[in-house]
Amino acid sequence: MKEDLIKIRNEIDEIDSKIVELYEARMRMSERVAKYKIENHKPVLDKEREKIKLQKVGDLASSEYTKNCIIDLYKQIMSMSRERQYQLLTEKGQIQKPNFKALDELDFSNSKIVFQGVSGAYTELAMKEYFGENCDNFHVNTWKEAMEALKNNEADYAVFPYENSSAGIVAENFDLLVEYDNFIVGEQIIKIEHSLLGKKGSKIEQIKKIYSHPQAFMQCQNFVDSHKNLNKISMKNTAMAARKIKEDDDYTQAAIASKSSAEIYDLDILQESIQDNKENYTKFIIVTNQKIYSKNAKKISVCFEAPHESGSLYHMLSHIIYNNLNMNMIQSRPIKEKNWKYRFFVDFEGNLDDSAVINALVALKEDAVSFRILGNY
């Protein structure tokens, strides 16, 4: 039996050698195809040709099972072939870089910054960390209003919470990036430490209502669960919740907010660090209405809608894999007015000047139903 196994393995090795040889021969043919397309200014992706080819190779299979496997294999071979063609087209200057302007560095002098909330908001803390304590800024009530301020040139930059290490993404802001023609140019990560704040002289035993943002409630779930008698009331912002406690002047009300909010609104800290995760961080994005990026930018964010067919997401992500790019994040969001269909948000490492990045972006755009570069930062 052992000799039979050795013989089988030797035969597999021989077949694998032939497969490698044939694969390399096929890729050489792809290079010849690329040369023809360069000379004749033809697009790389020919969906009808690929559809016919997949049907043809599938029909060569001896069973339904192997037919499906062969089709999957050839989808990958075709994807790798396209990647090679994109590389050659890029080398010959046939593929243009994305229409973004590269800057040596972003200039924030004389810039006006907008953030959602009021004084003491975590977004304000992130803004000051990124732009400096004395940056020229103003605040609005909603994230949508911040996007509108950029659209109407009332602000040069806006700051938005994007993702929390405990509670996950801030879904509304993902959707707003799609809705508005604004772009990410930076990010700031800050540690989030929540405190329970009450009126001066109040005691935790007196509290009947807690005000805060839904994300803060999620990040303090253990504390909230251990005080089931308290009525939770959502606010647009943690600092707005703190301000309400000050304005209402009620011993039975409290807010989950930052320590700085306690100082700003002259409140007592009834309990510190009530978040579940003591290493609780939030990533904030810096957004502008200009298609710009810093020459030393290292991360790219894109969003796209994949074709509603088997394996489409897998094959689209292969453009990132085959260009040797490292993916940092993938999220999905429902597409409005398209029930059970989703838009994908992907972050990967790279710069818009990199040829591998350009190849990946062009391939993603060609395969997607819709595609957008959200920023390079």
Side-chain angles (χ1 to χ4, degrees):
M1 288 296 290
K2 186 176 180 180
E3 290 179 358
D4 289 343
L5 180 60
I6 292 172
K7 183 180 177 182
I8 292 169
R9 285 177 173 171
N10 287 336
E11 290 177 4
I12 289 174
D13 289 343
E14 288 177 16
I15 293 170
D16 286 344
S17 296
K18 292 177 182 176
I19 290 174
V20 170
E21 184 180 335
L22 291 169
Y23 172 76
E24 290 182 337
R26 196 184 195 287
M27 291 303 287
R28 287 193 291 272
M29 293 298 103
S30 294
E31 292 179 0
R32 290 175 62 182
V33 170
K35 183 180 178 182
Y36 171 83
K37 289 179 177 177
I38 289 170
E39 292 171 351
N40 294 277
H41 302 283
K42 297 286 186 182
V44 170
L45 180 61
D46 185 342
K47 290 186 178 180
E48 191 58 34
R49 158 72 179 162
E50 289 196 1
K51 183 179 178 181
I52 293 169
K53 185 64 180 175
L54 289 172
Q55 182 64 47
K56 233 174 164 180
V57 295
D59 290 343
L60 296 173
S62 58
S63 70
E64 193 65 27
Y65 172 75
T66 54
K67 177 178 180 177
N68 292 332
C69 293
I70 289 293
I71 288 174
D72 281 345
L73 174 63
Y74 267 82
K75 282 181 179 178
Q76 287 302 311
I77 290 174
M78 288 175 174
S79 181
M80 289 182 278
S81 174
R82 289 201 305 273
E83 295 303 337
R84 180 58 183 146
Q85 291 181 48
Y86 286 128
Q87 289 170 3
L88 294 171
L89 286 165
T90 301
E91 289 171 10
K92 296 294 183 180
Q94 294 282 333
I95 293 179
Q96 291 186 339
K97 286 172 53 179
N99 187 27
F100 280 69
K101 183 179 180 181
L103 303 176
D104 290 330
E105 60 181 21
L106 301 178
D107 182 10
F108 302 129
S109 60
N110 302 316
S111 293
K112 181 162 282 192
I113 324 299
V114 62
F115 70 95
Q116 182 270 339
V118 293
S119 294
Y122 288 109
T123 307
E124 183 190 42
L125 300 179
M127 177 192 69
K128 291 183 176 180
E129 188 74 25
Y130 190 86
F131 292 99
E133 283 286 333
N134 299 317
C135 64
D136 183 10
N137 67 86
F138 67 99
H139 58 83
V140 291
N141 289 327
T142 67
W143 293 318
K144 188 176 180 71
E145 288 174 0
M147 282 291 188
E148 283 286 332
L150 290 176
K151 177 184 175 182
N152 298 327
N153 293 313
E154 296 165 356
D156 300 296
Y157 298 95
V159 184
F160 297 89
Y162 198 56
E163 185 178 13
N164 177 261
S165 58
S166 303
I169 66 169
V170 183
E172 182 181 345
N173 289 339
F174 276 68
D175 296 339
L176 286 172
L177 284 170
V178 177
E179 183 179 344
Y180 286 85
D181 197 27
N182 296 324
F183 305 92
I184 307 171
V185 292
E187 68 178 7
Q188 179 68 51
I189 298 173
I190 65 169
K191 191 170 186 179
I192 305 295
E193 293 186 288
H194 295 300
S195 295
L196 185 69
L197 312 181
K199 177 186 172 181
K200 282 286 185 183
S202 63
K203 305 294 182 185
I204 195 168
E205 296 81 13
Q206 298 173 290
I207 305 303
K208 295 179 181 179
K209 295 179 182 178
I210 301 182
Y211 296 84
S212 198
H213 186 270
Q215 277 258 337
F217 283 130
M218 289 171 64
Q219 293 165 30
C220 303
Q221 193 64 54
N222 292 338
F223 175 84
V224 173
D225 287 347
S226 65
H227 296 79
K228 295 185 182 296
N229 59 314
L230 299 180
N231 184 18
K232 294 187 301 179
I233 301 171
S234 293
M235 300 284 289
K236 291 179 181 178
N237 184 274
T238 56
M240 287 179 175
R243 187 178 66 178
K244 178 175 176 57
I245 303 307
K246 174 67 175 177
E247 291 172 347
D248 288 359
D249 196 29
D250 187 340
Y251 284 108
T252 68
Q253 296 182 172
I256 294 176
S258 64
K259 284 184 181 179
S260 61
S261 291
E263 296 175 10
I264 292 168
Y265 299 107
D266 194 30
L267 301 174
D268 276 350
I269 298 175
L270 306 183
Q271 189 169 329
E272 292 184 19
S273 192
I274 61 173
Q275 70 277 5
D276 298 347
N277 180 6
K278 302 311 174 188
E279 294 298 314
N280 185 35
Y281 290 85
T282 292
K283 181 189 299 180
F284 293 82
I285 52 173
I286 314 303
V287 178
T288 184
N289 62 7
Q290 304 297 309
K291 297 178 88 170
I292 57 175
Y293 68 100
S294 171
K295 286 182 179 178
N296 64 357
K298 297 177 181 177
K299 183 191 291 186
I300 291 173
S301 292
V302 300
C303 68
F304 57 83
E305 180 185 349
H308 194 56
E309 56 191 47
S310 175
S312 62
L313 177 61
Y314 172 76
H315 292 298
M316 290 193 70
L317 294 179
S318 70
H319 298 307
I320 296 172
I321 298 167
Y322 296 146
N323 280 290
N324 199 31
L325 300 170
N326 184 38
M327 187 170 71
N328 305 113
M329 181 205 75
I330 180 168
Q331 297 284 350
S332 66
R333 291 287 301 144
I335 299 175
K336 292 178 181 179
E337 300 176 357
K338 290 187 179 181
N339 289 345
W340 319 122
K341 292 189 178 181
Y342 297 85
R343 179 176 288 107
F344 296 93
F345 294 78
V346 173
D347 289 353
F348 59 89
E349 294 174 5
N351 186 284
L352 290 175
D353 288 328
D354 301 339
S355 59
V357 168
I358 296 170
N359 293 338
L361 294 174
V362 170
L364 283 167
K365 185 177 181 179
E366 285 207 352
D367 279 0
V369 175
S370 64
F371 174 82
R372 188 166 164 220
I373 299 171
L374 298 175
N376 189 194
Y377 50 101

